[in-house]
Amino acid sequence: MKRSEIKRRPLADTTLASLEPEATTYRELDSPGLYFRVKPNGTKSWELRYKKPNGKWSWHGLGGYPDLPGTLARKKANEAKQLIAHGTDPIQHKIEQREAKEIASANTFAAAAEYWYQRKAQDGRAASTLRLMRGYLDNDVLPALGSKLLTEITRRDCADLQERIEARGAMNTRDKIRVALRQIFSQAIARGLCEYNPASELGSIAKPTPKAKQYPHLLEPELPSFLQALRRSTSRTPARVATWLVLWTASRPGMVRHAEWNEINFADALWCIPAAKMKTRRDHVTPLSRQALDALRELHRMTGRGRYLFPGIGAKQPVISENTINLTLNKVGYKGRLVGHGSRHTASTLLREHRWDKDLVEAQLAHKEQGMAGLYNNAEYVVLRRTMLQWYADFLGALETGITPDQIENFNRAVIVSGTSALSQNFPEKLFQT
């Protein structure tokens, strides 16, 4: 429709939809002060012609068509005219509203939570830890509180969130989120965004945490049959070596899965793990027994050209999955009886029962305890732990091949006297005399 064919005003909906563009932009009057603009490319919009407080005429864009139909455009024009009548410039009013909205958006819990998360990321947290934090926010916290202003969130809001998480039995998640909430509000207070912390007393109404269950693990009498079954395992070589390495070093399965070849020092028989991978955020050195070195040399022929000892399949899985070690244990008949992490409990129990010093055991487990500052980089402890881990690997071998109670005592006595368990390549025949 050509604009010369317009017969009435305000402009009918059929007229608005069918007006044709021309070589230059044009405006058609719809009602007092309100114009319908059509550009050469066919874009259509609404504009209000008004006089600014300084006496100059100006145009105020109200919105595009058809998103803004005629009825709503006229309503917005009337609202703008009321502002003008009271001496307010509608354009300036729109700018102030946008700024107020931006300020309000910056004061939402979602913005404060993102600030907290980015600070954590800058602190050098492990990628796995950041993924957990992101999950807590996205799955539980932000759906409940994200859109609310910090100043509007009440203690009841925080308590309701805690109760919902408790209702599904996720007590560990609840505890992590309670700490996060408290920190997010504390930061907001320090930044002047709110005045009090509604999450400060959640611990006083939290349900008691059920007693933690120990990871399934084996004790000494159960080990001979298990070790024999593991030796017969038909799992792939990387899965078997990863499982044995967890046993020999008492390392966390995640540390083993993400081990890299540049961390393995064959010459000095050491595995040097950088702080970024450690739960304690400290560099950790673990000695490697003769058995571990032999297994790693075999593995190196298979995966040594790559970055990781235990590569996964495809770009999306750089290392073997977190279930690989447990599946290997399941396949040899120990499902529900032993998991990868449980081998740490087995090692700790066995080493302490055979009188190895607690500090050495805790150092090997990379536990962060009071009074152990600097322990991980202490050369003396590395030397002593080397002796301990070689004893442990030899002792597991003895249990696998068969050892009597008397031989165990002789074995321990030999370690105490000599200071090393690596006394024989033909263990246990030459070491134990019956």
Side-chain angles (χ1 to χ4, degrees), residues 104-170:
S105 177
N107 285 338
T108 62
F109 181 87
E114 187 63 27
Y115 177 88
W116 169 83
Y117 177 79
Q118 293 302 328
R119 289 286 295 268
K120 295 294 185 183
Q122 293 168 9
D123 288 344
R125 301 298 174 108
S128 57
T129 302
L130 291 175
R131 282 195 297 272
L132 288 174
M133 290 179 174
R134 188 78 259 174
Y136 297 148
L137 291 178
D138 294 343
N139 298 331
D140 287 297
V141 182
L142 294 182
L145 305 176
S147 62
K148 293 178 178 287
L149 294 177
L150 288 166
T151 53
E152 293 178 350
I153 296 175
T154 65
R155 293 190 183 278
R156 184 68 259 168
D157 292 329
C158 296
D160 287 343
L161 172 58
Q162 177 170 270
E163 289 170 5
R164 284 195 295 272
I165 298 171
E166 288 178 336
R168 67 173 193 261

Side-chain angles (χ1 to χ4, degrees), residues 127-325:
S128 57
T129 302
L130 291 175
R131 282 195 297 272
L132 288 174
M133 290 179 174
R134 188 78 259 174
Y136 297 148
L137 291 178
D138 294 343
N139 298 331
D140 287 297
V141 182
L142 294 182
L145 305 176
S147 62
K148 293 178 178 287
L149 294 177
L150 288 166
T151 53
E152 293 178 350
I153 296 175
T154 65
R155 293 190 183 278
R156 184 68 259 168
D157 292 329
C158 296
D160 287 343
L161 172 58
Q162 177 170 270
E163 289 170 5
R164 284 195 295 272
I165 298 171
E166 288 178 336
R168 67 173 193 261
M171 299 307 189
N172 184 58
T173 297
R174 174 207 63 186
D175 294 341
K176 298 290 187 182
I177 286 177
R178 185 169 66 242
V179 172
L181 287 175
R182 192 165 60 245
Q183 292 177 353
I184 290 168
F185 280 108
S186 292
Q187 289 178 351
I189 292 171
R191 296 164 61 205
L193 302 179
C194 61
E195 296 299 325
Y196 85 107
N197 191 331
S200 61
E201 302 300 328
L202 288 177
S204 64
I205 60 171
K207 290 182 178 179
T209 301
K211 188 176 180 180
K213 294 182 179 179
Q214 293 179 337
Y215 288 101
H217 60 281
L218 301 178
L219 299 179
E220 188 170 315
E222 304 169 283
L223 286 174
S225 297
F226 161 70
L227 294 167
Q228 292 161 15
L230 183 60
R231 187 68 64 183
R232 297 190 299 269
S233 171
T234 58
S235 294
R236 295 173 61 248
T237 298
R240 287 188 287 106
V241 173
T243 305
W244 278 106
L245 196 59
V246 165
L247 293 172
W248 286 324
T249 66
S251 298
R252 295 181 175 88
M255 290 163 51
V256 171
R257 289 172 46 236
H258 289 90
E260 301 180 36
W261 284 115
N262 62 12
E263 299 168 1
I264 305 298
N265 184 331
F266 283 101
D268 295 331
L270 294 173
W271 173 20
C272 305
I273 309 167
K277 289 186 175 183
M278 295 297 298
K279 184 177 181 180
T280 57
R281 316 310 295 165
R282 296 180 180 180
D283 292 338
H284 182 65
V285 176
T286 184
L288 296 170
S289 64
R290 171 173 43 81
Q291 292 88 335
L293 286 172
D294 289 344
L296 291 178
R297 289 191 181 99
E298 177 187 358
L299 181 68
H300 192 267
R301 290 193 287 268
M302 298 180 60
T303 69
R305 293 184 179 181
R307 174 182 176 183
Y308 294 102
L309 277 67
F310 308 104
I313 301 174
K316 293 185 178 179
Q317 189 174 328
V319 299
I320 57 175
S321 76
E322 59 184 345
N323 294 320
T324 300
I325 293 173

Side-chain angles (χ1 to χ4, degrees), residues 4-78:
S4 60
E5 299 173 4
I6 296 175
K7 297 187 183 323
R8 70 181 182 85
R9 303 173 196 282
L11 303 173
D13 290 338
T14 53
T15 300
L16 297 172
S18 60
L19 271 177
E20 299 175 2
E22 297 180 1
T24 60
T25 299
Y26 68 85
R27 295 181 178 89
E28 278 298 320
L29 180 67
D30 175 88
S31 53
L34 180 62
Y35 290 80
F36 190 67
R37 184 176 68 168
V38 182
K39 289 186 175 183
N41 63 3
T43 301
K44 300 174 180 179
S45 60
W46 296 96
E47 290 186 327
L48 178 68
R49 180 70 167 170
Y50 76 103
K51 184 179 288 188
K52 301 176 72 173
N54 61 10
K56 294 183 179 181
W57 287 93
S58 183
W59 292 99
H60 173 36
L62 300 178
Y65 178 88
D67 293 338
L68 185 65
T71 52
L72 291 181
R74 296 173 195 114
K75 181 180 178 182
K76 290 187 70 174
N78 288 333

Side-chain angles (χ1 to χ4, degrees), residues 347-362 383-393 395 411-412 414-416 418-421:
S348 177
T349 301
L350 210 62
L351 290 168
R352 295 294 293 126
E353 284 181 346
H354 289 278
R355 302 190 294 279
W356 286 96
D357 187 84
K358 178 183 178 182
D359 284 349
L360 295 182
V361 176
E362 293 300 301
V383 171
L384 293 174
R385 284 192 288 120
R386 185 188 299 280
T387 300
M388 180 180 72
L389 286 188
Q390 186 59 60
W391 175 91
Y392 187 55
F395 189 65
F411 183 91
N412 291 338
V415 171
I416 295 170
S418 67
T420 176
S421 60

